[in-house]
């Protein structure tokens, strides 16, 4: 139970409500243990002796016990929920913060749907155990011990007979817990798979409909849903086999008590009130056993979920600040890759091989190559989304592994190939990297990115809400907003990964005109898809299978590189200035 034990550390912030819940629980169980003794007195000293004073006294006492039980049951439930909700809050925050700090390589390997399951279902199962299961476990242990003590004080011989059923119940319980644990883990894995399919389908709904694959997606989801159903049914079968066995053992104990207890009452060695009290305590003895079954199932599922949560919390980021990392001062923009080799985790070969080049401050570098040549990999190494396998990336002569990630990335503006907009207004999306930016500053970069005019055409201008993932905006509009977002940082280094691929030639021309002015004093890397970008670049890096095949200006490469001319023919044929 290492996972559950580790979640106890999150209880430290909630010691007061936890202590209150435990105290309330103890008082509830104390009230429960008093009730059978009161019934014994009612029968032996009240009803048998026809003493109404005793009867009324016991009735009043029972009302008091019921009141105490009700009040502290409420407090136990309320304080337990306060504690469990607090722990769930801490867990969600911890996991979300961890996910923010994990490197790209972790997210490359992880399915979004499965991470969503951990943030929701797994956290909820842990919360339910801490808020209900743990208290019931403590309650069951306290009630079991207290009941055994009370049984021995009433009649130790009859109690020893009843104890004969406990080893059998314990064996059944151990088998149950041993089997339910792996089943719980399988159920959560199946749920994660189902959520992954759901997340992928919702994110790619336009593609599904465009290719008329609704039937296939329904079948795929249905298959995963059946797997989850079968896993749940297997767990239900175990439950339905366990509880009848426990009830059967409990009934055997009750038969022993009624048979032998009745004989003792007839022989005069046990009073009727003591027999009634004994049967009452026997119910309290069996109750924890039934509770243990439910708690065992809850504990097993919570443990499986806790382990999955700590799998995320224990994950190591391949890219993180060095212990002695310093803040990168304001850069001039000189970028150097020195003998760089890079391979994605799990890949069989390098995607970048012995690559070296220098980009001087203010230069515009166009990166060209066939698909899979390593273009996008290079630009992800500069902001240190990934660490190089060998060699070094230097900015102004400083190895980027020696500086903090925040100080590095805050000086690099990035427009990725896949444009992502967040829920909020257009203004908030542009100011994502600088939330404190004024409207004038936001407007200025929007104008530079040729976005100002279409933004003013929106219903509420810059305060127009952006739909989920930018629904309602064209691809070109989203990319212009993304460009404005990068420019607002006023970065010394600008990276544009196919950032004008979704705009028409006229819009791209306008953007290029604005960027030519904005690129002055900035080192700009562009993965180019248009001939105009290539021609205006100060330097072109031509990649072939991860290696640098040639570098130079457009004119120089036309004269010296057959591969360059081949790429011009295949990728840029038919394009006009």
């Amino acid at each position: 139970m290492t996972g559950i034990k580790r979640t106890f550390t999150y209880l430290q912030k909630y010691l007061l409500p936890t202590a209150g819940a435990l105290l309330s629980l103890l008082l509830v169980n104390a009230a429960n243990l008093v009730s059978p003794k009161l019934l014994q007195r009612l029968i032996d000293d009240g009803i048998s002796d026809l003493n109404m004073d005793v009867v009324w006294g016991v009735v009043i006492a029972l009302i008091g016990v019921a009141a105490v039980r009700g009040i502290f049951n409420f407090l136990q439930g309320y304080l337990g929920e306060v504690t469990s909700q607090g722990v769930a809050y801490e867990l969600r925050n911890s996991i979300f913060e961890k996910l923010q700090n994990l490197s790209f390589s972790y997210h490359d390997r992880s399915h979004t749907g499965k991470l969503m399951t951990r943030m929701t279902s797994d956290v909820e199962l842990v919360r339910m155990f801490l808020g209900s299961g743990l208290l019931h476990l403590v309650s069951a242990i306290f009630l079991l011990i207290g009941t055994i003590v009370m049984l021995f004080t009433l009649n130790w011989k009859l109690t020893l007979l009843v104890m004969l059923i406990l080893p059998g119940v314990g064996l059944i319980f151990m088998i149950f817990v041993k089997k339910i644990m792996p089943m719980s883990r399988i159920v959560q894995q199946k749920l994660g798979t189902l959520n992954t399919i759901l997340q992928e389908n919702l994110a790619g709904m336009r593609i599904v409909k465009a290719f008329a694959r609704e039937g296939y997606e329904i079948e795929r989801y249905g298959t995963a849903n059946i797997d989850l159903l079968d896993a749940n049914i297997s767990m239900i079968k175990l439950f339905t086999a366990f509880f009848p066995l426990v009830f059967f053992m409990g009934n055997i104990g009750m038969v022993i008590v009624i048979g032998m207890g009745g004989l003792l009452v007839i022989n005069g060695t046990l009073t009727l009130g003591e027999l009634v009290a004994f049967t009452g305590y026997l119910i309290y003895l069996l109750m924890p056993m039934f509770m243990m079954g439910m708690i065992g199932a809850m504990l097993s599922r919570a443990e499986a979920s806790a382990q999955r949560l700590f799998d995320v919390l224990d994950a190591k980021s391949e890219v993180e600040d060095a212990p002695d990392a310093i803040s990168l001062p304001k850069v001039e923009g000189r970028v150097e890759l020195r003998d760089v080799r890079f391979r994605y985790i799990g890949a069989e070969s390098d995607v970048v091989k012995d690559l070296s080049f220098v980009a001087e401050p203010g230069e515009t570098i166009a990166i060209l190559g066939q698909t899979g040549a390593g273009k996008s990999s290079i630009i992800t190494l500069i902001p240190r989304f990934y660490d190089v396998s060998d060699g070094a990336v230097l900015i102004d002569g400083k190895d980027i592994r020696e500086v903090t990630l925040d100080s590095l990335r805050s000086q690099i503006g990035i427009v990725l190939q896949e444009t992502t907009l967040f829920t909020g207004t257009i203004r908030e999306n542009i100011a994502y990297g600088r939330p404190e930016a004024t409207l004038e500053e936001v407007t200025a970069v929007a104008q530079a990115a040729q976005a100002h005019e279409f933004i003013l055409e929106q219903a509420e201008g810059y305060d127009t809400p952006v739909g989920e993932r930018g629904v309602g905006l064209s691809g070109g509009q989203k990319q212009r907003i993304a460009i404005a977002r990068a420019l607002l940082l006023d970065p010394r280094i600008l990276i544009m990964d196919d950032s004008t691929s979704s705009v028409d030639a006229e819009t791209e021309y306008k953007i290029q005109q604005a960027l030519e002015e904005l690129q002055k004093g900035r080192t700009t890397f562009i993965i180019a898809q248009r001939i105009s970008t290539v021609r205006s670049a100060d330097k072109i890096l031509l990649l072939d299978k991860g290696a640098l095949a040639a570098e130079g200006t457009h004119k120089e490469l036309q004269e010296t590189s057959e591969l360059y001319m081949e790429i011009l023919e295949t990728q840029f044929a038919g394009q006009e200035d």
Side-chain angles (χ1 to χ4, degrees), residues 392-406:
V393 178
L394 300 96
I395 294 181
D396 290 357
K398 177 71 69 174
D399 191 323
I400 61 174
R401 289 170 294 192
E402 299 174 1
V403 301
T404 61
L405 291 171
D406 285 346

PDB file of all heavy atoms in Angstrom, residues 392-406:
ATOM      1  N   ALA A 392      26.512  20.861 -28.338  1.00  0.00           N
ATOM      2  CA  ALA A 392      25.981  21.948 -27.513  1.00  0.00           C
ATOM      3  C   ALA A 392      25.277  22.974 -28.384  1.00  0.00           C
ATOM      4  O   ALA A 392      25.613  23.157 -29.557  1.00  0.00           O
ATOM      5  CB  ALA A 392      27.114  22.623 -26.735  1.00  0.00           C
ATOM      6  N   VAL A 393      24.255  23.598 -27.777  1.00  0.00           N
ATOM      7  CA  VAL A 393      23.590  24.750 -28.374  1.00  0.00           C
ATOM      8  C   VAL A 393      23.988  25.964 -27.538  1.00  0.00           C
ATOM      9  O   VAL A 393      23.834  25.963 -26.317  1.00  0.00           O
ATOM     10  CB  VAL A 393      22.058  24.591 -28.376  1.00  0.00           C
ATOM     11  CG1 VAL A 393      21.396  25.837 -28.963  1.00  0.00           C
ATOM     12  CG2 VAL A 393      21.647  23.348 -29.155  1.00  0.00           C
ATOM     13  N   LEU A 394      24.525  27.005 -28.196  1.00  0.00           N
ATOM     14  CA  LEU A 394      25.009  28.180 -27.476  1.00  0.00           C
ATOM     15  C   LEU A 394      24.289  29.438 -27.963  1.00  0.00           C
ATOM     16  O   LEU A 394      24.038  29.592 -29.168  1.00  0.00           O
ATOM     17  CB  LEU A 394      26.516  28.359 -27.665  1.00  0.00           C
ATOM     18  CG  LEU A 394      27.409  27.194 -27.184  1.00  0.00           C
ATOM     19  CD1 LEU A 394      27.727  26.279 -28.367  1.00  0.00           C
ATOM     20  CD2 LEU A 394      28.680  27.709 -26.545  1.00  0.00           C
ATOM     21  N   ILE A 395      23.953  30.301 -27.042  1.00  0.00           N
ATOM     22  CA  ILE A 395      23.397  31.616 -27.355  1.00  0.00           C
ATOM     23  C   ILE A 395      24.319  32.662 -26.750  1.00  0.00           C
ATOM     24  O   ILE A 395      24.573  32.651 -25.536  1.00  0.00           O
ATOM     25  CB  ILE A 395      21.963  31.760 -26.817  1.00  0.00           C
ATOM     26  CG1 ILE A 395      21.032  30.783 -27.556  1.00  0.00           C
ATOM     27  CG2 ILE A 395      21.468  33.199 -26.968  1.00  0.00           C
ATOM     28  CD1 ILE A 395      19.588  30.851 -27.120  1.00  0.00           C
ATOM     29  N   ASP A 396      24.835  33.510 -27.594  1.00  0.00           N
ATOM     30  CA  ASP A 396      25.841  34.503 -27.179  1.00  0.00           C
ATOM     31  C   ASP A 396      27.017  33.824 -26.479  1.00  0.00           C
ATOM     32  O   ASP A 396      27.563  34.338 -25.492  1.00  0.00           O
ATOM     33  CB  ASP A 396      25.220  35.566 -26.265  1.00  0.00           C
ATOM     34  CG  ASP A 396      24.277  36.489 -27.016  1.00  0.00           C
ATOM     35  OD1 ASP A 396      24.167  36.333 -28.249  1.00  0.00           O
ATOM     36  OD2 ASP A 396      23.651  37.359 -26.373  1.00  0.00           O
ATOM     37  N   GLY A 397      27.371  32.626 -26.954  1.00  0.00           N
ATOM     38  CA  GLY A 397      28.507  31.903 -26.398  1.00  0.00           C
ATOM     39  C   GLY A 397      28.215  31.145 -25.129  1.00  0.00           C
ATOM     40  O   GLY A 397      29.099  30.460 -24.598  1.00  0.00           O
ATOM     41  N   LYS A 398      26.982  31.189 -24.620  1.00  0.00           N
ATOM     42  CA  LYS A 398      26.626  30.515 -23.369  1.00  0.00           C
ATOM     43  C   LYS A 398      25.839  29.241 -23.682  1.00  0.00           C
ATOM     44  O   LYS A 398      24.837  29.276 -24.401  1.00  0.00           O
ATOM     45  CB  LYS A 398      25.791  31.454 -22.499  1.00  0.00           C
ATOM     46  CG  LYS A 398      25.288  30.825 -21.194  1.00  0.00           C
ATOM     47  CD  LYS A 398      26.414  30.595 -20.206  1.00  0.00           C
ATOM     48  CE  LYS A 398      26.954  31.893 -19.672  1.00  0.00           C
ATOM     49  NZ  LYS A 398      27.953  31.682 -18.593  1.00  0.00           N
ATOM     50  N   ASP A 399      26.327  28.107 -23.158  1.00  0.00           N
ATOM     51  CA  ASP A 399      25.611  26.839 -23.311  1.00  0.00           C
ATOM     52  C   ASP A 399      24.243  26.969 -22.651  1.00  0.00           C
ATOM     53  O   ASP A 399      24.143  27.317 -21.466  1.00  0.00           O
ATOM     54  CB  ASP A 399      26.416  25.704 -22.663  1.00  0.00           C
ATOM     55  CG  ASP A 399      25.865  24.318 -23.022  1.00  0.00           C
ATOM     56  OD1 ASP A 399      24.627  24.167 -23.122  1.00  0.00           O
ATOM     57  OD2 ASP A 399      26.662  23.379 -23.171  1.00  0.00           O
ATOM     58  N   ILE A 400      23.176  26.706 -23.407  1.00  0.00           N
ATOM     59  CA  ILE A 400      21.835  26.934 -22.874  1.00  0.00           C
ATOM     60  C   ILE A 400      21.498  25.987 -21.721  1.00  0.00           C
ATOM     61  O   ILE A 400      20.550  26.232 -20.977  1.00  0.00           O
ATOM     62  CB  ILE A 400      20.755  26.812 -23.979  1.00  0.00           C
ATOM     63  CG1 ILE A 400      20.762  25.407 -24.598  1.00  0.00           C
ATOM     64  CG2 ILE A 400      20.964  27.879 -25.043  1.00  0.00           C
ATOM     65  CD1 ILE A 400      19.613  25.183 -25.584  1.00  0.00           C
ATOM     66  N   ARG A 401      22.281  24.916 -21.546  1.00  0.00           N
ATOM     67  CA  ARG A 401      22.049  24.013 -20.397  1.00  0.00           C
ATOM     68  C   ARG A 401      22.542  24.624 -19.090  1.00  0.00           C
ATOM     69  O   ARG A 401      22.249  24.105 -18.016  1.00  0.00           O
ATOM     70  CB  ARG A 401      22.730  22.668 -20.646  1.00  0.00           C
ATOM     71  CG  ARG A 401      22.058  21.828 -21.720  1.00  0.00           C
ATOM     72  CD  ARG A 401      22.875  20.624 -22.118  1.00  0.00           C
ATOM     73  NE  ARG A 401      24.126  21.022 -22.777  1.00  0.00           N
ATOM     74  CZ  ARG A 401      24.915  20.172 -23.436  1.00  0.00           C
ATOM     75  NH1 ARG A 401      24.570  18.902 -23.528  1.00  0.00           N
ATOM     76  NH2 ARG A 401      26.023  20.587 -24.010  1.00  0.00           N
ATOM     77  N   GLU A 402      23.275  25.726 -19.186  1.00  0.00           N
ATOM     78  CA  GLU A 402      23.819  26.376 -17.991  1.00  0.00           C
ATOM     79  C   GLU A 402      22.964  27.540 -17.511  1.00  0.00           C
ATOM     80  O   GLU A 402      23.297  28.192 -16.524  1.00  0.00           O
ATOM     81  CB  GLU A 402      25.246  26.879 -18.280  1.00  0.00           C
ATOM     82  CG  GLU A 402      26.221  25.759 -18.647  1.00  0.00           C
ATOM     83  CD  GLU A 402      27.581  26.304 -19.055  1.00  0.00           C
ATOM     84  OE1 GLU A 402      27.748  27.544 -19.035  1.00  0.00           O
ATOM     85  OE2 GLU A 402      28.466  25.490 -19.400  1.00  0.00           O
ATOM     86  N   VAL A 403      21.845  27.818 -18.223  1.00  0.00           N
ATOM     87  CA  VAL A 403      20.976  28.933 -17.837  1.00  0.00           C
ATOM     88  C   VAL A 403      19.588  28.397 -17.512  1.00  0.00           C
ATOM     89  O   VAL A 403      19.227  27.277 -17.890  1.00  0.00           O
ATOM     90  CB  VAL A 403      20.896  29.992 -18.954  1.00  0.00           C
ATOM     91  CG1 VAL A 403      22.282  30.534 -19.268  1.00  0.00           C
ATOM     92  CG2 VAL A 403      20.244  29.426 -20.213  1.00  0.00           C
ATOM     93  N   THR A 404      18.807  29.203 -16.811  1.00  0.00           N
ATOM     94  CA  THR A 404      17.459  28.764 -16.432  1.00  0.00           C
ATOM     95  C   THR A 404      16.546  28.759 -17.660  1.00  0.00           C
ATOM     96  O   THR A 404      16.699  29.574 -18.576  1.00  0.00           O
ATOM     97  CB  THR A 404      16.857  29.684 -15.364  1.00  0.00           C
ATOM     98  OG1 THR A 404      16.752  31.015 -15.891  1.00  0.00           O
ATOM     99  CG2 THR A 404      17.723  29.692 -14.106  1.00  0.00           C
ATOM    100  N   LEU A 405      15.599  27.841 -17.637  1.00  0.00           N
ATOM    101  CA  LEU A 405      14.680  27.710 -18.765  1.00  0.00           C
ATOM    102  C   LEU A 405      13.838  28.967 -18.945  1.00  0.00           C
ATOM    103  O   LEU A 405      13.598  29.415 -20.068  1.00  0.00           O
ATOM    104  CB  LEU A 405      13.780  26.487 -18.557  1.00  0.00           C
ATOM    105  CG  LEU A 405      14.466  25.119 -18.649  1.00  0.00           C
ATOM    106  CD1 LEU A 405      13.519  24.015 -18.206  1.00  0.00           C
ATOM    107  CD2 LEU A 405      14.936  24.858 -20.084  1.00  0.00           C
ATOM    108  N   ASP A 406      13.368  29.543 -17.846  1.00  0.00           N
ATOM    109  CA  ASP A 406      12.520  30.731 -17.947  1.00  0.00           C
ATOM    110  C   ASP A 406      13.263  31.901 -18.592  1.00  0.00           C
ATOM    111  O   ASP A 406      12.716  32.594 -19.462  1.00  0.00           O
ATOM    112  CB  ASP A 406      12.018  31.150 -16.558  1.00  0.00           C
ATOM    113  CG  ASP A 406      10.911  30.243 -16.049  1.00  0.00           C
ATOM    114  OD1 ASP A 406      10.367  29.475 -16.865  1.00  0.00           O
ATOM    115  OD2 ASP A 406      10.591  30.297 -14.849  1.00  0.00           O
TER     116      ASP A 406
END
